[in-house]
Amino acid sequence: MNTRNKTSRKKPDTSGSPDGVLYVVSTPIGNLEDITLRALRILKESDYVAAEDTRRTGMLLKHFGISKPLLSCYRFNEAKRSTHLIDLLGQGKSIALVSDAGTPAISDPGARVVQCTLNAGYRVECIPGPCALIAALTTAGLPTDEFHFIGFLPNRSAPRKRKLVSLLDIPGTLVCYESRYRIEKLLDELIEIMPNHRVAIGREITKMHEQFIRGSAMEVKEQLSSGSSKGEFVVVVAPPSKQKNATDPNQD
Ligand code: SAM
């Protein structure tokens, strides 16, 4: 059986012309000062920018005085677009891949383009930078030595609860993304399923109204309910066995 992705292809013979490179470029999750010098250089030097939302990335590029041909690359065209991007790489073009904010391929499009590019024999380079997962985890004050990222939980109640129950046996810290519409629901679920775990939520990280709330799920919910629950959230949940030593979050 042929298990290769439909969009994977043999690298064409382009003797003489240098191969293109796919750059996976992280962009700010709020504060534009978080763009890296290398990200700016790569965005300036690349032949194309493949973006989840060309309008949004166009505004980001404009802010930094960069003008570049933009190609849309979002969840529903990623497979088809990968074929096109590989053709461009074969012509020696370099492509910067970005998502709306943060690191591509982390709860965002990108993983498929990377896989197809590697399958086709082209080079992929990482231009690391902002990522809400890492920003929240490193600021939460919870153990960081081992962690498990689950992206977004399912929307519907029953699969959400099943997923959370299945995570009770995971030894590391849990990290997930949550929308403003379900953050209170998630805290209620944590109160029910993980009442004794320490929790930290990061809201609007790097933005003007950045806020971290730490405590048990019950304490976090009380504090959140007394203010606004607008914005974007990352939820970090400590494993039960790592709660003993408050001075060293990585100590058992
Ligand atoms: N690829 C992105 C990254 O590297 O963080 C994540 C994209 S995912 C579609 C968007 C989710 O990330 C939001 O719903 C929220 O849960 C989280 N997020 C993104 N930016 C955030 C911020 N500034 N503060 C808190 N959470 C954020």
Side-chain angles (χ1 to χ4, degrees):
M1 193 174 83
N2 180 5
T3 54
R4 289 188 73 176
N5 191 301
K6 256 166 70 184
T7 49
S8 69
R9 311 164 148 210
K10 271 226 157 71
K11 196 170 157 183
D13 179 10
T14 50
S15 345
S17 67
D19 280 344
V21 179
L22 177 76
Y23 297 99
V24 181
V25 182
S26 296
T27 56
I29 56 169
N31 191 327
L32 294 181
E33 286 180 355
D34 292 336
I35 192 103
T36 69
L37 294 174
R38 190 157 167 243
L40 285 177
R41 181 175 63 76
I42 293 295
L43 288 167
K44 267 185 208 138
E45 290 176 1
S46 293
D47 295 303
Y48 295 92
V49 175
E52 184 181 6
D53 179 339
T54 51
R55 206 178 131 260
R56 204 169 155 157
T57 298
M59 277 156 45
L60 180 81
L61 295 184
K62 192 168 174 213
H63 176 86
F64 290 109
I66 299 170
S67 168
K68 228 12 86 167
L70 286 157
L71 302 168
S72 74
C73 183
Y74 56 95
R75 194 167 147 211
F76 298 110
N77 80 345
E78 196 178 347
K80 199 165 166 221
R81 179 61 81 193
S82 298
T83 311
H84 180 207
L85 297 181
I86 285 160
D87 284 341
L88 292 172
L89 293 169
Q91 293 163 29
K93 306 292 185 196
S94 56
I95 300 162
L97 174 71
V98 299
S99 62
D100 282 357
T103 301
I106 300 296
S107 293
D108 264 342
R112 195 163 191 163
V113 176
V114 170
Q115 277 162 21
C116 292
T117 303
L118 293 173
N119 285 346
Y122 295 104
R123 199 152 63 88
V124 177
E125 256 187 53
C126 175
I127 313 298
C131 179
L133 148 67
I134 298 299
L137 177 67
T138 51
T139 316
L142 301 177
T144 56
D145 51 343
E146 183 175 353
F147 67 90
H148 184 83
F149 175 61
I150 42 187
F152 289 96
L153 285 161
N155 287 351
R156 289 189 304 119
S157 294
R160 275 169 82 85
K161 282 196 181 172
R162 269 201 303 277
K163 179 79 183 174
L164 285 169
V165 169
S166 77
L167 293 166
L168 280 167
D169 292 332
I170 298 283
T173 293
L174 302 174
V175 190
C176 72
Y177 289 157
E178 192 50 279
S179 86
R180 55 185 284 201
Y181 303 107
R182 278 181 289 273
I183 186 70
E184 297 213 19
K185 179 180 161 99
L186 176 56
L187 289 167
D188 283 335
E189 289 158 343
L190 291 175
I191 290 168
E192 185 189 330
I193 298 165
M194 303 180 184
N196 300 318
H197 294 231
R198 283 193 299 152
V199 174
I201 60 172
R203 173 176 164 254
E204 295 286 88
I205 301 168
T206 77
K207 301 184 195 175
M208 192 188 292
H209 298 292
E210 173 177 308
Q211 182 187 27
F212 274 83
I213 308 177
R214 302 174 178 88
S216 66
M218 178 70 87
E219 289 163 346
V220 170
K221 192 187 169 201
E222 278 166 10
Q223 222 181 304
L224 184 73
S225 309
S226 66
S228 159
S229 65
K230 282 189 186 156
E232 298 190 284
F233 292 89
V234 184
V235 178
V236 187
V237 183
S241 60
K242 300 272 172 97
Q243 296 176 26
K244 294 174 204 155
N245 190 343
T247 54
D248 181 355
N250 287 326
Q251 277 285 307
D252 261 330

